[in-house]
Amino acid sequence: MTDPIQDVPRSMWAVRVRAPGGAGALELERIATPEPASGEALVRVHAAAITRDELTWPADRLPATPSYELAGDIVARGPDVDAVAAGEAVWALAPFDRDGAAAEYIVLPADLLAPKPSTLSEEESAAVPLAALSAWQGLFDHGGLQGGQRVLIHGAVGGVGQFATQLARSRDAYVLGTTAAAGADLARSLGAHEVLDPAAFAEGLEPVDLVFDTVGGERLARSPAIIRPGGRLVSVAEEPSRVDPGLEVEATYFVVEPNRSQLDQLGALIDAGDLRVEVDSVYALKDARAAFERSAERGKRGKVVLRVLGGVADA
C-alpha cells in the first residue's frame, strides 16, 4: 500500500452472500482486507446503504459482498492517485462488477470518490448516491430536461423519485408526479406542481416533454400517449415496450453509472439546502439480515442504511 495514514488490519468484517436466497443467505465473515492497485484508494467504510432488490441480482460471481453506496474516509492510496488525499471524507457509488461496501474496507477507483457533503452524517451521505445519480442521469443525461419543460415523474416520492422531483424543480421545469394519495403532500413539498392519480394520470393531461419512470408496469406502458412529438420516455425500472413510431417519442432504459462529477454537483445542492435526504432506518453491520428484510418491506420513506464503523461489536 502507498501512504497509509494508520495501520490497516490484514483481515476485516464483511457481509457475504454465498448462495441465492435473500436475506437469510447473508453471513458476517472475516475476509482479507483488499489492497489498492494503481489508480485505486482504500476506503474505511463508515456507512453503506442497501437497495431493496440487490440480493436478487445475477449470482454469477458468488460469494460476494453487497451494498454499493457508501460514505467513509481514505486510509491508503495506490500508485498514481492524485485526485483524493489520505484522510479525506468521501462518498461514492461503487461499480457493480466488484465487491460492495457492506464491509469495513473497500477498494475503489479513486476517480469515483467525491468529497462527502459537509452537512450530512455518514449514514445520510450513504443513502444518496444510487438514487440521486439515477435521478440525475435519467432527467438530464438521458432525458435532456431543460428549464420550462414539462416533466412527469412516475413514483414521485419513491427512492429515486424523491430526488427526481427535487432536481427537476431545481432546473425550473414544470413538475408533475404520480403517487398514491398518501404521498401527495410529500410530493408537493418536494417540488411537484401537480400530483396525479397513478390510475388516471393521462386523463385530460396536456402533453409533457419528458416522462421519467421509476416504477414500470402499467404507468410506463400508458406513458407514450401523453408525450409530445419529439419528446422522451426514460425508465430506470424496466425496458419500455416498443413505442409506435408515429408518436415520435424516444424511449430509453438505463442502468445508473458511478460518476464523481455528478456527486460533486449533488453534494453542492445538498450543502446549499436545495436537496433533502431521507433515511428510513439504520442498522449495525452485524444486523445486515434485519436491514435487508426491512428494505424489502413496503411503506418506507428513504433508504435503509448499515452502520459499518463500530457496527460489529460482539460479532
Side-chain angles (χ1 to χ4, degrees):
M1 294 183 186
T2 301
D3 71 68
I5 62 170
Q6 63 178 44
D7 292 335
V8 175
R10 292 182 177 272
S11 66
M12 65 177 185
W13 288 108
V15 174
R16 300 289 279 172
V17 186
R18 292 199 167 272
L26 298 174
E27 298 289 346
L28 186 65
E29 302 177 1
R30 289 204 72 88
I31 64 173
T33 303
E35 297 189 11
S38 179
E40 296 180 331
L42 178 68
V43 178
R44 176 170 50 194
V45 181
H46 291 229
I50 58 183
T51 301
R52 183 168 64 90
D53 60 351
E54 68 177 278
L55 296 184
T56 68
W57 293 351
D60 57 356
R61 57 184 181 87
L62 297 181
T65 299
S67 182
Y68 291 87
E69 304 166 87
L70 68 136
D73 65 287
I74 295 170
V75 295
R77 301 183 301 174
D80 303 317
V81 173
D82 298 316
V84 293
E88 183 177 358
V90 294
W91 65 337
L93 175 63
F96 300 125
D97 61 352
R98 60 172 67 200
D99 274 339
E104 292 183 295
Y105 296 90
I106 185 173
V107 162
L108 292 173
D111 60 4
L112 297 182
L113 296 166
K116 183 188 81 66
S118 61
T119 57
L120 296 185
S121 68
E122 282 82 5
E123 290 81 6
E124 290 169 327
S125 297
V128 174
L130 189 149
L133 286 172
S134 296
W136 185 288
Q137 292 168 19
L139 291 173
F140 308 134
D141 293 352
H142 298 284
L145 184 64
Q146 302 292 324
Q149 291 186 329
R150 291 167 55 86
V151 55
L152 173 60
I153 298 166
H154 287 315
V157 300
V160 176
Q162 288 192 28
F163 288 109
T165 300
Q166 296 178 81
L167 289 170
R169 184 63 182 260
S170 76
R171 289 288 180 94
D172 296 322
Y174 189 86
V175 184
L176 306 99
T178 62
T179 185
D185 287 343
L186 177 57
R188 294 187 185 95
S189 73
L190 293 170
H193 294 90
E194 297 182 39
V195 180
L196 307 177
D197 181 345
F201 69 88
E203 295 179 6
L205 185 65
E206 294 182 11
V208 300
D209 299 281
L210 169 66
V211 170
F212 180 46
D213 167 65
T214 72
V215 297
E218 282 298 312
R219 272 182 266 184
L220 174 60
R222 290 186 283 128
S223 291
I226 54 90
I227 301 174
R228 67 164 180 80
R232 296 162 303 284
L233 171 61
V234 178
S235 180
V236 73
E238 62 184 72
E239 189 79 39
S241 300
R242 181 180 179 275
V243 176
D244 182 347
L247 294 176
E248 299 180 33
V249 170
E250 179 183 342
T252 302
Y253 166 75
F254 77 100
V255 175
V256 64
E257 297 182 354
N259 190 298
R260 173 186 171 133
S261 174
Q262 291 170 0
L263 281 180
D264 284 338
Q265 295 175 79
L266 288 164
L269 288 170
I270 290 169
D271 285 341
D274 296 329
L275 202 58
R276 286 163 46 185
V277 177
E278 299 283 344
V279 174
D280 173 80
S281 50
V282 178
Y283 292 78
L285 184 67
K286 63 186 180 67
D287 297 323
R289 284 187 179 182
F292 271 94
E293 288 169 353
R294 171 60 184 166
S295 74
E297 295 175 2
R298 298 295 178 181
K300 300 186 306 302
R301 285 285 182 261
K303 275 278 190 175
V304 178
V305 177
L306 293 170
R307 184 179 68 253
V308 179
L309 189 64
V312 290
D314 303 320

